[in-house]
Amino acid sequence: MKDKSSRRDFLALGLAFPASAVASTSFSGLTGAPAPKPALQSGGLSYRVLGKTGMKVTTVGFGCMITSDPSVIEKAADLGINYFDTARGYQGGNNERMVGAALKARRNSLFVSTKTGAGTKQEALDHLETSLRELGTDHVDVWHLHGKGRASQLTDDLMEAQRVAKQQGKIRFCGVSTHNGHAEIAKTLIEKKDHFDVWLVSYNFTMEPAMQGLVESVAKAGLGVVAMKVMAGGFRRVRQGDKLFDTLKREGAMLAALKWAIKDPNVHTTIPSITDMEQLEENMRAMTSPFGKSDETLLAAQLERIGPLYCRMCGQCDAKCPKGLPVADMLRYLSYADGYGQYGLGRESFLALPAEIRDVRCGDCTYCSVRCPYGVKVAERLARAQDLFA
Ligand code: SF4
Ligand code: SF4
């Protein structure tokens, strides 16, 4: 069955949706959300419990993927942020070492998650040994199977690797990270809730209201929910003078986006990328400043501005390109460069695609059969990705 994150498909998959999640909204997801339960507040921090793990996590965590300055990570820990996310593959395999060094003195009072993109049990367990060595720890709190968008990717072999690692005390909890294919993965996680403990999922204000129901269903099944890509492309990296500045940069929009994710009581923590002290300071404010009318207005305007650029990873254009381009993935790679200022990561991801995909040029097509219902100019954006990365 094809996975699409539309309300119809969520319903077809038999997931329970709250009435609030299917309410019609003036624009995706900014209204009609369930009334938020206040997170527990303490000294400028707010906390929630990460589902059945019982971990009391700050609602703002730290996504370390593109951080190169360890002092920002240290400072975040000093300020009380207690959830840090990395992955075996980030920064060419070097990110874990930096994160481990930055957090070493505080390891026992913090939660660390990492991920493996391995395809087999043995490869995954080998990755885990490397992760533990690089992080300088004897266990990680959450170990994710990285970037799974199909139920068939959650193989018995990989789940067995997680079981073994848990038995050996090398991981505390089993997770899955998902960029697209949300409905299919959510259904599987709920079915296999005795095994999986945490879902790390792309979730932001640009998404269909039904996505809120999906997150709620997974949280209600007892899993912890960690939101990523909360900034919808991370366009905060765009600076005055940059070509995209006038189109994208609006003061306060990134803070509003983070607050939008936190106000959902089924999101237990978030892992926005943080690269400097200014961003850290801004993100800290999201824990004490509630989402209000002015945030809603800012996000509505932001949604309009990024519409032609930002892919919501809804999956509706899956398999629509006759040349086989993985449209959502390629648009994500482009957002690493355009939105996060991480050209290297974008290119590295692009170069990992099969050669026959890398060699396609959208400019050679006289007609593009991929239509995005949200207005992303697919052929134009992919041509830019090919120009930048190939
Ligand atoms: S390009 Fe549009 S249709 Fe395709 S995955 Fe992204 S948001 Fe969905
Ligand atoms: S323009 Fe690009 S995305 Fe569109 S059909 Fe051609 S190769 Fe596929």
Side-chain angles (χ1 to χ4, degrees), residues 100-145:
L103 298 179
K104 197 168 183 174
R106 308 167 181 79
R107 173 67 187 94
N108 292 333
S109 56
L110 300 170
F111 304 114
V112 175
S113 65
T114 191
K115 320 181 188 75
T116 174
T120 66
K121 172 185 165 186
Q122 193 51 54
E123 191 190 359
L125 290 171
D126 290 346
H127 277 188
L128 181 59
E129 291 305 321
T130 309
S131 292
L132 295 177
R133 192 170 59 246
E134 295 287 283
L135 283 163
T137 183
D138 61 357
H139 73 281
V140 290
D141 296 284
V142 185
W143 189 39
H144 293 288
L145 303 180

Side-chain angles (χ1 to χ4, degrees), residues 76-305:
D78 285 346
L79 292 173
I81 287 180
N82 72 359
Y83 190 89
F84 294 82
D85 178 83
T86 178
R88 180 75 290 276
Y90 289 166
Q91 294 179 331
N94 294 313
N95 187 256
E96 288 176 324
R97 190 176 320 146
M98 187 268 293
V99 172
L103 298 179
K104 197 168 183 174
R106 308 167 181 79
R107 173 67 187 94
N108 292 333
S109 56
L110 300 170
F111 304 114
V112 175
S113 65
T114 191
K115 320 181 188 75
T116 174
T120 66
K121 172 185 165 186
Q122 193 51 54
E123 191 190 359
L125 290 171
D126 290 346
H127 277 188
L128 181 59
E129 291 305 321
T130 309
S131 292
L132 295 177
R133 192 170 59 246
E134 295 287 283
L135 283 163
T137 183
D138 61 357
H139 73 281
V140 290
D141 296 284
V142 185
W143 189 39
H144 293 288
L145 303 180
H146 197 163
K148 304 304 181 196
R150 292 278 175 269
S152 58
Q153 295 173 321
L154 301 176
T155 62
D156 290 345
D157 209 31
L158 290 174
M159 288 170 63
E160 178 61 13
Q162 288 185 311
R163 250 189 304 274
V164 167
K166 213 181 206 183
Q167 275 164 7
Q168 294 175 341
K170 293 177 179 174
I171 68 168
R172 292 178 65 207
F173 299 106
C174 304
V176 171
S177 75
T178 304
H179 294 112
N180 44 31
H182 297 107
E184 187 173 327
I185 294 295
K187 180 173 183 283
T188 309
L189 293 181
I190 293 167
E191 285 167 0
K192 299 185 176 180
K193 62 185 180 190
D194 290 342
H195 175 88
F196 291 111
D197 304 299
V198 179
W199 191 26
L200 169 57
V201 58
S202 303
Y203 184 51
N204 61 52
F205 66 94
T206 70
M207 292 176 168
E208 293 271 335
M211 186 63 196
Q212 288 174 254
L214 197 54
V215 163
E216 181 175 347
S217 299
V218 172
K220 283 206 163 136
L223 277 79
V225 175
V226 181
M228 63 174 165
K229 305 284 183 286
V230 292
M231 306 293 190
F235 291 110
R236 130 169 108 179
R237 296 282 305 176
V238 179
R239 300 287 181 207
Q240 202 139 19
D242 289 0
K243 225 169 128 198
L244 284 171
F245 181 85
D246 287 338
T247 321
L248 296 171
K249 172 76 173 170
R250 290 299 180 275
E251 285 305 326
M254 295 301 98
L255 178 58
L258 185 52
K259 289 197 282 183
W260 182 90
I262 291 173
K263 83 180 169 69
D264 185 332
N266 297 302
V267 169
H268 304 129
T269 187
T270 53
I271 53 160
S273 292
I274 305 176
T275 57
D276 58 38
M277 297 298 181
E278 188 190 338
Q279 290 178 3
L280 175 59
E281 186 273 328
E282 185 179 45
N283 288 355
M284 292 295 294
R285 279 192 276 141
M287 285 194 270
T288 50
S289 149
F291 185 86
K293 201 76 196 148
S294 60
D295 296 308
E296 197 169 309
T297 306
L298 265 174
L299 291 189
Q302 183 77 350
L303 191 59
E304 211 160 291
R305 279 190 288 272

Side-chain angles (χ1 to χ4, degrees), residues 320-325 327 360-363 365 367-370 378-379 382 386:
K320 292 283 167 37
C321 168
K323 295 182 180 169
L325 295 191
V327 173
V360 173
R361 293 293 174 272
C362 288
C365 279
Y367 172 79
C368 181
S369 57
V370 185
V378 171
L382 292 190
Q386 291 150 0

Side-chain angles (χ1 to χ4, degrees), residues 310-317 327-328 331 371-374 376 378:
Y310 181 67
C311 167
R312 294 156 172 76
M313 295 170 257
C314 73
Q316 291 187 59
C317 64
V327 173
L331 291 171
R371 292 279 166 272
C372 172
Y374 301 105
V376 176
V378 171

Side-chain angles (χ1 to χ4, degrees), residues 9-22:
D9 294 306
F10 290 155
L11 292 170
L13 283 163
L15 296 169
F17 278 85
S20 59
V22 293

